[in-house]
Amino acid sequence: MGWLVICGWQAILAGSAYLGGNMILALATLTHPNYTPELWQGTLVYWAVMAVSIGINTVFSKVLPKIESFILGLHLGGFLAILTPLVYLAPEKASAHEVFAVFENGGGWPTTTLSVFVGLLGSVFATYGTDCAVHMAEEIHGANIVIPWCMLSTTLLNGVLGFAMLVALLFVTVDIDSVLESPTGALGFPFMQVFRDATGSRGGATAMICIIIIMMICASIAFLATSSRIVFAFGRDRGLPFSRTMATVQSSTAIPLHAIFVMALVSCLIGLINIGSATAFNAVISLGVSSLYSSYVLTEALLLYHRIRGTIRSPSQMSNSTWHANELVWGPFHVPGIWGILLNTFAVGYGIIVIIFSVFPQVVNPDPAHMNYSCLVTGAIMLFAVVYYFVYARKVYSGPVVEIAPLQIA
């Protein structure tokens, strides 16, 4: 499962930097209609975004918490800065019936229901990675309480803001086909043309788009921080090649410098693929959803299993007994009883649905350029992980390293 998590986060990191870089090129297309971006230019801007992420996570690592606070402020302020002019200035709006009652089966699937499930991937992509804070747990005070609240609050906040923005976009997008066929729509960013049409101003649309680009670059910074901690932890467990190097922490800054550079280097090498083939590049980063949700489902299924069996002990049961490394003990934040079982059951079922449809192509009978290769890539990673375990890792890997046991610290 460790390999699934690492590769999933590697895909998230590469995907966020790729989106941030290509948004810059798409914005150039919007402001300069005669400009046509090349694949190699996308890779260069992609590397520039990665360079910024590396610099913040290494040279300026001490200001990372302040940058995270800035991201939150920009997220909330940017929402209003985009939504207000988008809704107020739009010269024409769709009706409520068109927004909520008309469904488009653009992929040519046999039923609209199937098309909805295939399109679920977009919503999943926009909201996954909620476990970002989990992998920073060793650097957070009161992590057993703070992290669950962070995950719940960010999911709720992003869900509400995202849904509101989605509804607003649907109302101001009168002609979907023309937006998709626009120069920015052809590059995969139709929202830019929506901003341009709604505001009637190239400068106003540019300002709104710049907010989103900054958010994507900041996301890359956070994703590099998270993914490097995963590599550090799995290296400490001796589950990776060169594990001792991956588990090294720089004494002066207390950051896993080698893990940061490895994740950044792999991302930059992935960017080279884009120069030769955007299809091959998308095949690599497409494993983000399938691999991460596979790790989620495995974890949730095991938790559900132990819930049903009642093998997870409460802290009160541990007061006069010795805690063992692999023993499961409830933390201060959990849903007890039948409601917890129902929530876990729903999570497992939802995760399975996401995994199934994450390997579907967006259209029926796709050509090689529009095929979804995430199943192939995820399967190859799982095969490699199994082979690596039996060839080498089983000799040195004995499970997660437990450094501090619960209840040992007052």
Side-chain angles (χ1 to χ4, degrees), residues 61-95:
S61 60
K62 292 183 179 180
V63 302
L64 184 59
K66 295 181 180 179
I67 292 176
E68 297 290 349
S69 299
F70 165 76
I71 295 174
L72 177 59
L74 180 64
H75 187 39
L76 297 176
F79 170 77
L80 295 176
I82 292 174
L83 186 68
T84 303
L86 185 67
V87 174
Y88 181 76
L89 297 177
E92 190 177 358
K93 296 181 178 67
S95 66

Side-chain angles (χ1 to χ4, degrees), residues 19-97:
L19 286 175
N22 278 270
M23 280 183 187
I24 295 175
L25 296 181
L27 178 58
T29 302
L30 181 69
T31 55
H32 299 81
N34 295 327
Y35 169 68
T36 302
E38 302 288 343
L39 290 176
W40 62 270
Q41 293 172 336
T43 297
L44 288 179
V45 182
Y46 167 88
W47 284 346
V49 174
M50 286 304 308
V52 172
S53 302
I54 295 169
I56 297 298
N57 276 278
T58 54
V59 180
F60 303 104
S61 60
K62 292 183 179 180
V63 302
L64 184 59
K66 295 181 180 179
I67 292 176
E68 297 290 349
S69 299
F70 165 76
I71 295 174
L72 177 59
L74 180 64
H75 187 39
L76 297 176
F79 170 77
L80 295 176
I82 292 174
L83 186 68
T84 303
L86 185 67
V87 174
Y88 181 76
L89 297 177
E92 190 177 358
K93 296 181 178 67
S95 66
H97 177 267

Side-chain angles (χ1 to χ4, degrees), residues 92-102 167-175:
E92 190 177 358
K93 296 181 178 67
S95 66
H97 177 267
E98 291 174 317
V99 171
F100 296 106
V102 177
V167 172
L169 279 172
L170 291 175
F171 268 107
V172 301
T173 306
V174 179
D175 189 348

Side-chain angles (χ1 to χ4, degrees), residues 109-183:
W109 296 98
T111 64
T112 302
T113 302
L114 181 57
S115 179
V116 168
F117 277 102
V118 174
L120 180 67
L121 187 62
S123 300
V124 171
F125 179 81
T127 56
Y128 75 158
T130 310
D131 58 322
C132 187
V134 173
H135 307 296
M136 305 289 289
E138 296 182 34
E139 302 170 47
I140 298 175
H141 295 290
N144 55 352
I145 296 177
V146 172
I147 288 179
W149 275 115
C150 284
M151 295 175 66
L152 284 175
S153 59
T154 54
T155 300
L156 180 62
L157 176 65
N158 291 327
V160 171
L161 297 186
F163 181 74
M165 186 64 71
L166 175 62
V167 172
L169 279 172
L170 291 175
F171 268 107
V172 301
T173 306
V174 179
D175 189 348
I176 294 178
D177 291 333
S178 65
V179 169
L180 294 175
E181 293 170 0
S182 67

